[in-house]
């Protein structure tokens, strides 16, 4: 049986979703973030040296890390042609693009916003606070926020070409893209001004497999 090393409020939620879509049996080993640092516990390093989630242990003992690699591998092994466009098609190229775009392009500015938000909110000596908050505010206004807006505009426009990220059919690209789009909804300014992205979120949240994954994975902070 597949084992998912699942960290709360993390990218591993979309791996649970994929497994539910594939109809595969799996077990979950739960890990909780440190309440102060929000980092993964050291126990995850026993599974993978980086101590990150998601990590999946396959039936034959292979340890898989990195969300995109996990999505690709599980669909190749168990999809039986589902959740991936036909090889050689234009949609197959889009599929590959979005698998890489999710973490390579969409997530970095969202992560920077999270870091600078925490700097602005962190307790610190009063004489340092204006300097630290001023630097964080300028970084967000001059670089981070414009980049997030550009990415959201790009995604909104691309969804005008099809109902799903890789074309007319739901695919693993939509599962991979769920985390950055949900992160943008939670803390990146995504709202009703981008109706295609909001409609796409509504569609993925309505999928039974998505709901089953939430029930098994536990509370998911990006939806709160």
């Amino acid at each position: 049986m597949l084992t998912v090393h699942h960290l709360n409020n993390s990218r591993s939620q979309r791996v649970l979703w994929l497994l539910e879509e594939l109809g595969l049996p799996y077990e979950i080993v739960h890990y909780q973030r440190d309440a102060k640092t929000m980092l993964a516990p050291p126990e995850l390093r026993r599974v993978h040296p980086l101590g990150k989630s998601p990590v999946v242990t396959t039936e034959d003992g292979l340890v898989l890390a990195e969300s995109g690699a996990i999505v690709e591998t599980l669909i190749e092994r168990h999809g039986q042609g589902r959740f991936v466009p036909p090889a050689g098609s234009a949609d197959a190229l889009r599929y590959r693009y979005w698998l890489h775009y999710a973490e390579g392009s969409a997530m970095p500015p969202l992560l920077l916003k999270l870091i600078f938000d925490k700097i602005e909110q962190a307790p610190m000596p009063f004489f340092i606070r204006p300097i630290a908050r001023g630097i964080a505010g300028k970084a967000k206004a001059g670089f981070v926020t414009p980049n997030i807006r550009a990415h959201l505009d790009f995604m909104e426009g691309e969804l005008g070409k099809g109902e799903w990220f890789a074309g007319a059919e739901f695919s693993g690209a939509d599962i991979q893209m769920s985390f950055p789009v949900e992160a943008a909804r939670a803390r990146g300014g995504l709202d009703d001004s981008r109706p295609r992205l909001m409609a796409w979120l509504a569609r993925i949240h309505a999928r039974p497999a998505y709901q089953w994954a939430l029930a098994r994975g536990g509370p998911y902070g990006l939806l709160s």
Side-chain angles (χ1 to χ4, degrees):
M1 184 179 293
L2 290 157
T3 300
V4 181
H5 298 271
H6 175 52
L7 181 66
N8 64 305
N9 298 335
S10 80
R11 292 161 169 82
S12 54
Q13 183 63 42
R14 62 187 166 187
V15 175
L16 303 183
W17 175 23
L18 173 59
L19 290 171
E20 293 291 346
E21 293 281 0
L22 290 169
L24 294 175
Y26 64 94
E27 60 183 8
I28 303 174
V29 179
H30 290 271
Y31 301 84
Q32 293 293 313
R33 295 181 183 275
D34 183 277
K36 292 183 179 180
T37 67
M38 297 306 294
L39 297 176
E43 290 81 3
L44 261 173
R45 292 195 184 93
R46 298 172 191 164
V47 185
H48 188 276
L50 291 180
K52 304 288 186 180
S53 181
V55 177
V56 172
T57 306
T58 66
E59 312 93 314
D60 50 357
L62 181 64
V63 176
L64 298 175
E66 291 295 336
S67 299
I70 292 170
V71 170
E72 278 194 285
T73 302
L74 292 179
I75 289 176
E76 286 176 1
R77 286 188 169 199
H78 304 286
Q80 299 177 326
R82 297 173 296 163
F83 311 125
V84 61
S89 66
D91 285 348
L93 290 175
R94 290 178 60 81
Y95 171 81
R96 184 173 296 161
Y97 175 82
W98 293 110
L99 281 180
H100 291 275
Y101 171 89
E103 293 295 334
S105 294
M107 279 307 301
L110 290 165
L111 179 59
L112 284 173
K113 184 177 187 302
L114 176 64
I115 292 170
F116 284 122
D117 284 348
K118 287 187 176 297
I119 290 173
E120 289 180 326
Q121 300 162 9
M124 61 187 75
F126 73 91
F127 55 89
I128 296 176
R129 188 179 303 123
I131 299 172
R133 291 181 177 175
I135 292 172
K138 287 184 178 180
K140 288 199 299 183
F143 176 75
V144 177
T145 301
N147 267 277
I148 292 174
R149 287 174 180 162
H151 281 290
L152 292 177
D153 288 343
F154 170 63
M155 289 185 270
E156 179 76 7
E158 289 297 302
L159 282 175
K161 300 176 182 179
E163 193 172 58
W164 303 102
F165 274 103
E169 301 294 332
F170 172 81
S171 74
D174 298 290
I175 293 174
Q176 180 71 347
M177 283 297 297
S178 64
F179 192 81
V181 178
E182 287 175 332
R185 179 72 177 110
R187 56 176 181 259
L190 174 58
D191 57 24
D192 291 336
S193 65
R194 295 180 176 88
R196 292 174 185 144
L197 278 168
M198 294 297 288
W200 178 86
L201 276 176
R203 287 195 297 276
I204 67 169
H205 292 165
R207 293 182 71 87
Y210 187 98
Q211 298 295 328
W212 299 333
L214 284 180
R216 289 202 61 181
Y220 184 40
L222 289 186
L223 298 182
S224 61

